Amino acid sequence: MSSRVPVTVLTGFLGAGKTTLVNRILSEQHGKRIAVIENEFGEVGVDHELVIGADEEIFETSNGCICCTVRGDLIRILNQLRKRRERFDAVLIETTGLADPGPVAQTFFIDEELKEYYSLDAIVTLVDARHLEQELTENSVAREQIAFADIVLLNKIDLVDTAGIARVQQRVQGINGTATVIRTRNANVPLDRVLDIGAFDLDRALSRDEDFLQTPRPFEWAGLYQLSGSQLLGVGAHADGHDHDHDHAHEHSHEPAHPHALEHVDLLLLPVESGSASAIDAQTDAAMTLFGQEAKTCPSHARLPVKQLVRIAVTGDAHYHIEQAGHCVLFCEHAPEEFGLHLEGAKLLEERRYGSHHHDPDIGSIGLEDARPLNAEKLNDWLSYLLQSRGQDILRMKGVLNIKDEPRRYVFHGVHMVYDGQLERPWPAGAARRSRLVFIGRNLDRNELEAGLESCIA
Amino acid sequence: MNAAAGQLKLRGRIELGDYPVDAAWSPDGKALVVACGAGDIVHVDVATELKSRSIGSHGGGALAVSWQKAGHLIATSGQDGLVLLWDARTLESRAIHTAKEWSEHLLFADNGRLLAVSTGRVLHLFDTAGQLRASFDPQPGSIAAIAWRPKSNEIAAAGNGGMRLHRVEPAPGSRDYPWRGACLTARWNADGRLLASGMQDGSVHLWYVASGTESQMQGYGAKVIATEWSGNGRYLATAGGSSLIVWDFGGKGPEGSEPIELRSHSERISALACRPTGTWLVSAARDRRLLLWRMGASDAPQDAHLLADECTVLRYARAGDRLAVGDARGGLSIFDC
């Protein structure tokens, strides 16, 4: 079925920049034939591409199950389009700002006929960095659109200051820990990052990025520094030393202080042998272990110890001394923009961002990881039970599983109550066979999910 | 040169070079008009050897075609938003309707005096001069199927949210039959008392319009894409996924009874058609098999052919002596039967 036409679903509130993105896709010289189905009638229209306007039409079922609802307009239009002589390389569906992405995605799982010819490639959600925080407060659809997304385009970053961008990105990652966040201005993003990327093809996603199902970590950021022997670590709103986002040129908005200002942050400083690019990743496991220990509170003006989790105050003009030379990785509980981290006399060589662990109270992501082999039957029972009992609350789930006596990886992904799973390529030689699952949904209970996974151990 | 009873005899296959979306037979069964996926309207002469020629086109793709049961008018629609009315004698056409939305379904009344056209959620009726006679209020969802009611002036238009009956004679009017589900097909039984509709949610909905009752047949594993009555009116053949299910309306009716399952297709069934007389049924699926059945007499296929590709359209001629089968490779096969 590799010849199926990939379908990209574009969601986002009115004004987030969807029309700009669609126009960009239609006018760029990329040599692809793209059909666009538009539910929101913007100023789209380019001669050489096909643009079809249609009203959203939700097909409900007589039993009222929302997980079985599909989008009738898409079934109708896409089944007509496949009868044309020329094939399309890709289909882009632009939904209205208020559309629930659930039925759109489910359509490609549930409708037997459609899924023979089309495959859901990715859900791309465009958000306006300026207005997102307000929209998240006022509207559950905004949260759901982010929860469903494979890719979140954080647009209009030129209209928000650095701290604001970081804060919005944290909110996004707090809702959806697995989405790739791309910062854009004028919805300017390379097409190969949003079209035909195979987000629902887990095998392909895995081969592209082994770490895409990242387990939520207790730290949000890590930086590799070259230290000179004696440096000062400062905190506070004035510093902007760690902004490496060169796209960011203008600061029109002057946001008030962080609404949930941090009082303290946990840090971990680990000396490393070399400044190579892999140094951060090589320290991740050690950092996970040390973050599990109790943090030592360090008063302002004190010297920060290494290889020890420390808790520092980040209010007022607190500062700390680091007496260390050579290369060092600094792991931070929160992203540096959130508390104005600046390290004088040190050179930042490399940085790494991890999913946020600020969970949205309503919708969030939960990641599970386990190295023990799973029993396929028990797993099937658990997933079936889970989808029946919690399917309406689980918006997305994905996983790579270690099945007992099975050389291949079992990969699955689901939308609401529907899911697809299959054995894919073998585990890479020498790699640890760890099962990783991520659930994104409403009011998820980590204990319940952990107990469920525990019940599947072979 | 009719085939022996219980056989489909291939008369020939002609390359149209394009995906046949819909087809309509001439009243005498000597010609067909085929609506194609890339837009061509193709006239196929089947009287002697098969001959085809393009007689026009709809930009972007053709959607539907209908030919008067007794008469010389043909109607077609396309993704260009147009409805064309053709004279079968001259093969000349003129546009009688244009809309931003697609007119996906059109059908002449049995008496040939009216043409029904569904455009999105709205049903329109035109007379034979191409004059608009009525446009009814928008329905709750896009119209997915239309069917003239036998022995009546009414037409059923079914879609998401149920079905409506519309008429323009003797006076315009509509009746609403709401149902929480999306209808995909609409087929009246022979006496026009009962309408069967295949549903997206894997069920068949029955409207006993005469008595005002409704019932449902559930349990299909996939959406029900075809509901066809046998020529003698006793059986209702239905298809959902690879399942071919026949309901017997003889005696007390199908409610509470076990249906007949005809097993032979290994993949999704794409079309069904019933011979206008008797109990003959043909089915075609993505497995490329074309099977002939005799409902009520045998659960085994009476004849089988392998098509060049998946079937896209299946149409019996009015006399039931010929069958047209379109395939996704762009061919049209004619069988004698």
Side-chain angles (χ1 to χ4, degrees):
Chain A
M1 294 230 205
S2 56
S3 64
R4 293 188 299 170
V5 179
V7 177
T8 304
V9 176
L10 181 61
T11 72
F13 270 41
L14 192 64
K18 288 189 306 237
T19 303
T20 310
L21 179 59
V22 171
N23 280 333
R24 193 179 289 279
I25 288 171
L26 289 174
S27 55
E28 239 173 61
Q29 294 299 318
H30 41 65
K32 285 187 171 190
R33 286 181 50 81
I34 299 171
V36 177
I37 298 174
E38 254 201 309
N39 289 138
E40 196 153 77
F41 307 105
E43 291 292 313
V44 174
V46 174
D47 298 340
H48 66 280
E49 301 281 3
L50 179 71
V51 180
I52 294 173
D55 287 327
E56 286 179 357
E57 191 169 344
I58 303 276
F59 277 5
E60 288 180 300
T61 60
S62 49
N63 61 17
C65 170
I66 66 155
C67 302
C68 298
T69 57
V70 291
R71 283 279 298 274
D73 54 322
L74 301 179
I75 295 174
R76 203 161 43 84
I77 291 167
L78 290 173
N79 270 329
Q80 292 290 359
L81 288 188
R82 72 177 170 84
K83 298 171 184 170
R84 292 188 176 214
R85 195 183 291 139
E86 334 83 47
R87 290 290 302 261
F88 290 97
D89 299 307
V91 172
L92 179 70
I93 297 167
E94 181 191 0
T95 67
T96 66
L98 289 169
D100 173 2
V104 184
Q106 281 161 200
T107 304
F108 294 90
F109 286 84
I110 291 175
D111 194 89
E112 297 271 334
E113 189 178 0
L114 207 60
K115 74 185 190 190
E116 288 165 7
Y117 301 94
Y118 298 93
S119 65
L120 184 58
D121 187 66
I123 299 173
V124 177
T125 297
L126 198 59
V127 300
D128 181 340
R130 248 180 334 174
H131 296 132
L132 182 71
E133 287 180 289
Q134 191 187 349
E135 282 163 358
L136 288 176
T137 315
E138 291 170 358
N139 203 311
S140 65
V141 175
R143 290 195 290 273
E144 294 192 2
Q145 289 182 341
I146 290 170
F148 271 109
D150 298 290
I151 291 171
V152 175
L153 298 182
L154 199 56
N155 196 27
K156 306 195 182 180
I157 53 159
D158 47 329
L159 305 181
V160 183
D161 66 22
T162 314
I165 296 169
R167 210 162 59 232
V168 170
Q169 183 160 347
Q170 296 293 345
R171 286 296 299 275
V172 168
Q173 289 174 334
I175 293 167
N176 185 332
T178 65
T180 304
V181 179
I182 303 173
R183 299 179 179 190
T184 60
R185 288 195 284 171
N186 294 324
N188 194 353
V189 59
L191 283 195
D192 59 5
R193 298 204 60 188
V194 290
L195 291 184
D196 198 9
I197 58 166
F200 277 80
D201 180 346
L202 284 196
D203 199 43
R204 192 166 138 198
L206 279 171
S207 61
R208 188 180 60 237
D209 177 10
E210 280 292 333
D211 212 26
F212 93 109
L213 279 184
Q214 204 173 59
T215 313
R217 313 239 182 229
F219 37 85
E220 290 178 356
W221 185 87
L224 174 66
Y225 288 94
Q226 184 165 12
L227 304 181
S228 57
S230 176
Q231 41 270 304
L232 204 60
L233 185 151
V235 294
H238 306 296
D240 198 12
H242 290 271
D243 173 24
H244 290 266
D245 179 8
H246 298 294
D247 267 342
H248 169 69
H250 317 286
E251 293 193 15
H252 295 305
S253 83
H254 298 279
E255 301 267 339
H258 196 302
H260 315 287
L262 297 168
E263 291 188 353
H264 50 76
V265 171
D266 289 355
L267 300 180
L268 175 67
L269 204 52
L270 293 176
V272 292
E273 298 271 305
S274 81
S276 72
S278 61
I280 296 178
D281 292 340
Q283 296 302 317
T284 315
D285 282 348
M288 287 287 281
T289 308
L290 288 167
F291 260 85
Q293 296 174 359
E294 198 175 333
K296 180 187 172 196
T297 301
C298 201
S300 181
H301 300 74
R303 180 180 158 184
L304 290 182
V306 297
K307 299 185 191 171
Q308 158 92 56
L309 187 68
V310 292
R311 178 161 298 167
I312 62 164
V314 293
T315 48
D317 59 352
H319 62 274
Y320 307 87
H321 296 276
I322 297 174
E323 303 294 331
Q324 187 80 19
H327 294 104
C328 211
V329 180
L330 177 66
F331 288 91
C332 299
E333 181 192 6
H334 295 289
E337 302 86 355
E338 289 189 74
F339 60 100
L341 171 74
H342 50 109
L343 235 174
E344 284 163 26
K347 189 179 172 198
L348 181 68
L349 302 174
E350 183 89 22
E351 66 176 334
R352 191 75 89 241
R353 286 175 190 274
Y354 306 93
S356 164
H357 52 276
H358 293 281
H359 284 298
D360 199 278
D362 181 13
I363 296 182
S365 316
I366 289 181
L368 305 178
E369 197 164 339
D370 204 304
R372 294 171 290 174
L374 305 174
N375 176 300
E377 274 180 36
K378 290 179 182 172
L379 182 74
N380 196 34
D381 288 348
W382 174 52
L383 287 177
S384 302
Y385 166 77
L386 193 63
L387 290 178
Q388 276 168 27
S389 60
R390 300 296 307 273
Q392 301 213 351
D393 285 337
I394 295 173
L395 304 179
R396 289 288 297 269
M397 63 175 196
K398 0 186 170 183
V400 181
L401 303 175
N402 170 16
I403 305 292
K404 188 176 167 67
D405 301 327
E406 173 55 59
R408 290 167 297 173
R409 304 179 286 194
Y410 182 81
V411 298
F412 74 95
H413 56 80
V415 175
H416 278 319
M417 280 192 208
V418 290
Y419 86 101
D420 263 356
Q422 56 191 329
L423 288 164
E424 303 249 350
R425 291 182 307 175
W427 291 89
R433 295 177 44 135
R434 295 178 78 83
S435 296
R436 287 177 293 172
L437 300 85
V438 174
F439 298 88
I440 303 171
R442 289 184 205 96
N443 308 314
L444 297 180
D445 179 349
R446 172 175 279 276
N447 292 334
E448 180 195 336
L449 294 172
E450 279 177 349
L453 184 62
E454 186 69 34
S455 74
C456 302
I457 304 296
Chain B
M1 54 184 272
N2 281 358
Q7 271 196 337
L8 293 174
K9 186 167 171 252
L10 183 64
R11 188 182 182 88
R13 178 175 179 272
I14 190 165
E15 287 287 349
L16 303 173
D18 195 7
Y19 191 110
V21 173
D22 196 6
W25 284 94
S26 63
D28 62 6
K30 290 180 178 165
L32 283 138
V33 168
V34 185
C36 292
D40 271 1
I41 302 297
V42 180
H43 183 274
V44 181
D45 188 340
V46 300
T48 50
E49 58 182 299
L50 304 187
K51 281 183 293 194
S52 75
R53 63 181 167 129
S54 173
I55 57 173
S57 79
H58 282 278
L63 295 166
V65 56
S66 180
W67 196 324
Q68 272 180 316
K69 268 194 176 171
H72 55 264
L73 290 181
I74 300 165
T76 60
S77 64
Q79 293 183 26
D80 53 7
L82 295 178
V83 174
L84 301 179
L85 194 62
W86 303 73
D87 186 320
R89 298 165 299 191
T90 60
L91 297 179
E92 284 173 356
S93 70
R94 65 193 173 93
I96 60 166
H97 180 59
T98 178
K100 205 177 160 199
E101 283 184 277
W102 296 347
S103 293
E104 280 190 274
H105 307 279
L106 44 79
L107 196 59
F108 281 103
D110 285 354
N111 63 19
R113 294 212 307 268
L114 289 171
L115 170 70
V117 173
S118 74
T119 308
R121 299 190 293 138
V122 175
L123 188 85
H124 305 284
L125 293 179
F126 295 85
D127 63 21
T128 51
Q131 290 296 313
L132 181 67
R133 291 287 306 278
S135 293
F136 298 97
D137 288 343
Q139 303 202 180
S142 297
I143 296 169
I146 56 177
W148 287 96
R149 187 178 182 191
K151 302 170 183 172
S152 145
N153 294 321
E154 288 180 307
I155 180 161
N160 190 26
M163 183 268 288
R164 283 188 189 172
L165 296 185
H166 305 288
R167 66 182 154 78
V168 69
E169 290 165 346
S174 299
R175 288 192 279 165
D176 194 15
Y177 294 84
W179 177 245
R180 190 176 177 185
C183 302
L184 304 178
T185 70
R187 284 287 189 272
W188 290 101
N189 73 340
D191 64 13
R193 289 164 178 267
L194 167 58
L195 182 98
S197 188
M199 311 288 296
Q200 175 79 29
D201 64 10
S203 65
V204 172
H205 197 81
L206 299 174
W207 275 281
Y208 292 86
V209 171
S211 66
T213 59
E214 296 174 29
S215 67
Q216 264 189 297
M217 319 293 201
Q218 291 172 324
Y220 292 81
K223 63 179 175 181
V224 177
I225 57 97
T227 48
E228 297 290 330
W229 293 95
S230 63
N232 69 356
R234 175 167 171 176
Y235 299 100
L236 177 67
T238 62
S242 61
S243 299
L244 175 48
I245 307 285
V246 175
W247 298 93
D248 185 353
F249 281 71
K252 285 185 178 173
E255 285 83 1
S257 73
E258 282 291 309
I260 305 157
E261 181 162 10
L262 302 178
R263 294 187 179 86
S264 268
H265 285 296
S266 60
E267 291 183 64
R268 179 177 57 78
I269 295 169
S270 40
L272 298 181
C274 285
R275 198 168 193 246
T277 54
T279 58
W280 297 101
L281 164 73
V282 287
S283 62
R286 200 170 149 79
D287 58 19
R288 294 165 50 209
R289 289 175 205 156
L290 177 74
L291 302 177
L292 176 73
W293 307 87
R294 195 171 185 191
M295 291 182 281
S298 171
D299 292 352
Q302 305 295 298
D303 198 2
H305 289 263
L306 196 62
L307 301 174
D309 203 335
E310 181 182 355
C311 170
T312 63
V313 61
L314 207 50
R315 295 280 182 269
Y316 269 106
R318 303 210 194 283
D321 56 344
R322 280 179 190 152
L323 177 71
V325 184
D327 61 65
R329 193 160 298 181
L332 186 77
S333 303
I334 305 295
F335 292 87
D336 286 322
C337 42

